[in-house]
Amino acid sequence: MSAPLLRLETLTKRFGSGIAVDAVSLDLAASEFFCLLGPSGCGKSTLLRLVAGFEAPDSGAIRLGDEDLTALPAHRRPVNMMFQSYALFPHMSVGRNVAYGLKGLVTGRAATTERVAALLRLVRLDGYADRAPATLSGGQRQRVALARALAREPRVLLLDEPMAALDRSLREETQGELRALQRRLGTAFVVVTHDPAEAMTLADRVGVMDRGRLVQVGRPADLYRRPATRFVAGLLGDVNLIPGRLGADAPGPHRAVETAFGTWLGRAPEAPVAAGAAVVLAVRPEDLRPEDLRPEDLRPEDLRLGGEGAPATLIEETFLGDRIRRVLRLADGTLLRATAAPGEGAPAVGEAVAIRFAPDAATILPA
């Protein structure tokens, strides 16, 4: 990444004896759409408030370009924040709500009216200036709040759970609109969300937070395919976690893992792990392939490095519309999940299968 627009340097924030944000460092590029993802209470909203200036860090620094914002009050930062509740003034019209964001920036009624109209056009609310917020849908209120937040042309726009109040269909539609708007403006957006699908849909990069720490940052596809921890693997979608022991070094980017149903290869862990250590193989259900098997065709003692397959029984099949979910039971009782598109051939429930996955589809993670 080129010189960052926003830089957070080991930010730490405590509330009493608890640490809400624990030595977080992050670089944000100009025009980047970044998502902070994590469960409730992980510190992501507190981190956003530190950047906005609504909270002061106990240690660390916040820099925007060459400017140190750490001690700068919120109203003097070239940063703006849109709150989860939207915080619209109910006694003001839509136009006056947006104009409130222009206070001290634009003078004169004509100039203000023109700027408000331009902002409402930007968020596709032409003609709504005289409406009361109470008469608008949730998606429309969100767009009014967004127009007000953009009024001061911030260099970084912070959005705290912007889709939380919307129903599913409207949320999906609004995600596309928000992404398109950010691309048109070229403003850096930082969005806080607890929804992995939302983060992966919106973001250029995602930062996963767990108990105050930023545990992994990367592009959505990289986080999904190459999680650094069991927490990240589970947060970003369904995953099979197969326990085992790390074997000897293998050629190339893979390591061997000794499991209850044979020796398998997976992508080597990013952090050094000693041979013999307890690990898990993380395999996404769509990468697990149950194939037809006659029991006499595959014996556990015939398993070879890399995985000729492991015998299992297909015990459950569920139709989910766009995919079929299958549950498979290994000889030791371990249950695994596999998904495939409808119509893809598979044995019937109760039949024997061979479980296979490619080495690149498995990530070795510390247990």
Side-chain angles (χ1 to χ4, degrees), residues 2 32 34 137 168 172 186 189 191 194 199 212 227 265 335 343 353 360:
S2 58
E32 183 175 13
F34 189 88
S137 68
R168 180 178 176 180
E172 291 175 353
F189 277 28
V191 171
H194 65 275
L265 290 177
L335 298 181
V353 296
D360 276 342

Side-chain angles (χ1 to χ4, degrees), residues 116-197:
V116 166
L119 287 163
L120 290 177
R121 280 196 301 273
L122 183 67
V123 296
R124 299 194 302 111
L125 287 176
D126 307 59
Y128 281 71
D130 295 328
R131 297 273 296 272
T135 67
L136 304 182
S137 68
Q140 289 168 334
R141 288 196 297 272
Q142 184 206 54
R143 281 185 271 160
V144 173
L146 186 58
R148 186 177 63 188
L150 291 168
R152 303 188 72 83
E153 299 181 346
R155 295 178 67 187
V156 181
L157 182 63
L158 311 172
L159 302 98
D160 190 4
E161 298 277 7
M163 316 290 179
L166 307 181
D167 61 40
R168 180 178 176 180
S169 60
L170 185 56
R171 188 162 62 242
E172 291 175 353
E173 177 185 340
T174 306
Q175 286 170 3
E177 292 179 351
L178 189 63
R179 176 76 176 175
L181 177 62
Q182 190 269 341
R183 286 287 180 256
R184 288 201 307 272
L185 293 172
T187 302
F189 277 28
V190 180
V191 171
V192 157
T193 181
H194 65 275
D195 184 346

Side-chain angles (χ1 to χ4, degrees), residues 25-36:
S25 294
L26 175 68
D27 286 351
L28 181 74
S31 304
E32 183 175 13
F33 201 127
F34 189 88
C35 278
L36 282 169

Side-chain angles (χ1 to χ4, degrees), residues 308-320:
E308 282 299 312
T313 303
L314 179 60
I315 64 169
E316 183 182 311
E317 187 171 270
T318 306
F319 177 71
L320 299 176

Side-chain angles (χ1 to χ4, degrees), residues 108-121:
R109 179 172 296 182
T112 299
T113 301
E114 182 179 345
R115 180 63 178 148
V116 166
L119 287 163
L120 290 177
R121 280 196 301 273

